[in-house]
Amino acid sequence: MGRARRARKVAAAAAYGGGIGAAGIGVLGLVGFGVLKVEAQLARRIVGQPFEGAPDDNGRYGAGLGYPVELLVLGDSSAAGMGADTAQQTVGAIIANGVSALSGRPVQLTNVAVIGAESLGLDRQLADALEVVGNPDVAVILIGANDVTHRIDKSIAVRHLAQTVIALRATDCEVIVGTCPDLGTIEPVAQPLRLLARRWSRDLAAAQTVAVIEAGGRTVSLGDLLGPQFAGLTHEMFSHDGFHPSPAGYARVASALLPSVCDALGLWSSPADRRPDSLRGEKVGPVAVAAVQAVREAGTEVSATAVRGQPIGPRGRWAILLRRHRRPVTDRSELQDSTEMANPPGQPADFLTPAAAQDASEMLKRDEAHTP
């Protein structure tokens, strides 16, 4: 079953209250997950857990005239800023400062993200947020990694995310969701299990995209934003626990989200700006197809659109795929994508021996064969 079809199926199950099993991976997939849990536990013993929390980034940012822009941040440890040294280094703070600079207004940031949160916890976070901010202008949600590592049923996780987006849109709040990052870039997770982590997280990201667009929000693919392009900068993009982004990593995540936040607030776009540029790989198509294409390139935005005045086509809702994010000057895209390999003696940590490569291939084939 292709990823686009899986994404449509998960989103449909989320919308109609169905389930597709423990994240839809089948018995052999669950066996693989059991090994993944062991590998993750071993990895955490090596890197340790040096963080006790995240800096408190709630407050007012920037300056200017008029009422402040009300910015909400919901989600997990990446939204909370675990791994940042100061409040100014979190994704929320960087976006708040950027919005203030472009709008000429102060930005009031309310961050209700919870370290370790799964999508099921978004309901509580939203209730807490709306007690503080009755009419938020824009919300940024970063969620999904813990749904993968805890093997939450994808349809359940996506349903809670979609319900949160719907509730926010009911308050006339713009919503931007940073979809599940590619867990295949996490260095302490050994091969061949890194391949499974990549597959599971990308499947969830695609399903999140379909559901969020249907709910009235827009998504930005985080994918392997901190991964292969920065193969030589691993210790700069990730904090010293090896799992959470460093301040430089958070800056890169925020740089991918900020253009979409500003566009949602109407700060710089015009109808002409939203015309897809084919030279950049931008296009209009069915949302499930756009979702799959987005997970392949981090920083890609997907939002709803219409074709000849019709929001829905033969293959579902129309979506526009835009590549707003520009590669930074430090990007090392010429480096070989090594996140799908592991190491023989004397080789970099991401190169596989032929035998290990065969094991990884067989594991992925079994997992694919048992996906509903």
Side-chain angles (χ1 to χ4, degrees):
M1 182 186 297
R3 178 165 284 134
R5 186 179 175 188
R6 291 198 297 270
R8 288 195 300 268
K9 184 174 181 179
V10 171
Y16 295 106
I20 57 173
I25 62 173
V27 176
L28 290 177
L30 287 172
V31 172
F33 170 63
V35 183
L36 178 62
K37 285 185 65 177
V38 173
E39 290 288 353
Q41 290 169 356
L42 292 174
R44 286 190 178 276
R45 289 180 184 177
I46 295 172
V47 301
Q49 300 185 54
F51 302 114
E52 294 182 357
D56 182 1
D57 60 359
N58 286 278
R60 186 164 295 194
Y61 291 82
L65 301 176
Y67 291 105
V69 176
E70 294 286 354
L71 167 64
L72 297 184
V73 174
L74 304 88
D76 54 24
S77 57
S78 61
M82 191 173 189
D85 298 320
T86 70
Q88 292 287 338
Q89 296 170 341
T90 68
V91 169
I94 296 170
I95 291 175
N97 280 317
V99 169
S100 176
L102 289 168
S103 67
R105 295 167 57 188
V107 175
Q108 183 67 36
L109 170 61
T110 302
N111 191 333
V112 293
V114 176
I115 294 172
E118 302 163 354
S119 295
L120 283 68
L122 290 174
D123 303 351
R124 180 70 262 169
Q125 291 184 30
L126 178 60
D128 292 341
L130 294 181
E131 285 184 1
V132 179
V133 184
N135 296 104
D137 295 300
V138 62
V140 173
I141 304 174
L142 303 177
I143 200 74
N146 294 312
D147 295 309
V148 172
T149 59
H150 299 163
R151 299 315 294 147
I152 303 301
D153 186 311
K154 285 198 291 290
S155 66
I156 294 175
V158 168
R159 184 187 312 144
H160 283 269
L161 173 59
Q163 289 172 346
T164 301
V165 175
I166 291 170
L168 283 166
R169 293 294 295 135
T171 70
D172 203 27
C173 175
E174 299 291 341
V175 183
I176 294 88
V177 175
T179 56
C180 181
D182 184 349
L183 299 184
T185 64
I186 304 300
E187 189 177 65
V189 178
Q191 292 288 15
L193 300 169
R194 199 182 296 183
L195 290 174
L196 284 174
R198 162 165 286 185
R199 185 267 176 90
W200 294 337
S201 52
R202 288 191 172 192
D203 277 358
L204 177 59
Q208 287 176 321
T209 297
V210 174
V212 168
I213 303 309
E214 293 282 356
R218 65 178 77 188
T219 63
V220 176
S221 168
L222 300 185
D224 55 1
L225 202 64
L226 308 182
Q229 297 93 336
F230 287 92
L233 300 173
T234 300
H235 299 295
E236 296 181 31
M237 290 297 106
F238 290 92
S239 57
H240 49 283
D241 72 348
F243 287 91
H244 297 92
S246 66
Y250 280 126
R252 182 156 165 80
V253 172
S255 74
L257 293 165
L258 180 59
S260 297
V261 172
C262 291
D263 181 68
L265 290 170
L267 296 181
W268 63 18
S269 69
S270 66
D273 295 329
R274 291 186 57 78
R275 293 174 183 168
D277 182 352
S278 60
L279 295 179
R280 290 174 50 80
E282 299 179 341
K283 61 188 69 177
V284 171
V287 63
V289 176
V292 171
Q293 293 172 337
V295 300
R296 294 172 181 163
E297 183 165 346
T300 300
E301 178 195 296
V302 179
S303 59
T305 191
V307 175
R308 298 186 181 91
Q310 299 299 316
I312 299 176
R315 299 172 62 188
R317 186 171 296 276
W318 292 113
I320 183 170
L321 183 148
L322 298 173
R323 305 196 190 281
R324 300 183 185 279
H325 183 59
R326 298 297 195 270
R327 296 186 184 279
V329 294
T330 54
D331 192 7
R332 299 186 179 185
S333 57
E334 72 279 3
L335 295 177
Q336 180 179 1
D337 182 350
S338 59
T339 59
E340 295 190 0
M341 302 180 181
N343 58 319
Q347 292 291 336
D350 285 333
F351 281 83
L352 276 177
T353 63
Q358 181 64 29
D359 289 344
S361 177
E362 292 300 323
M363 184 175 290
L364 283 173
K365 287 178 181 178
R366 291 195 300 270
D367 185 58
E368 181 73 27
H370 286 77
T371 300

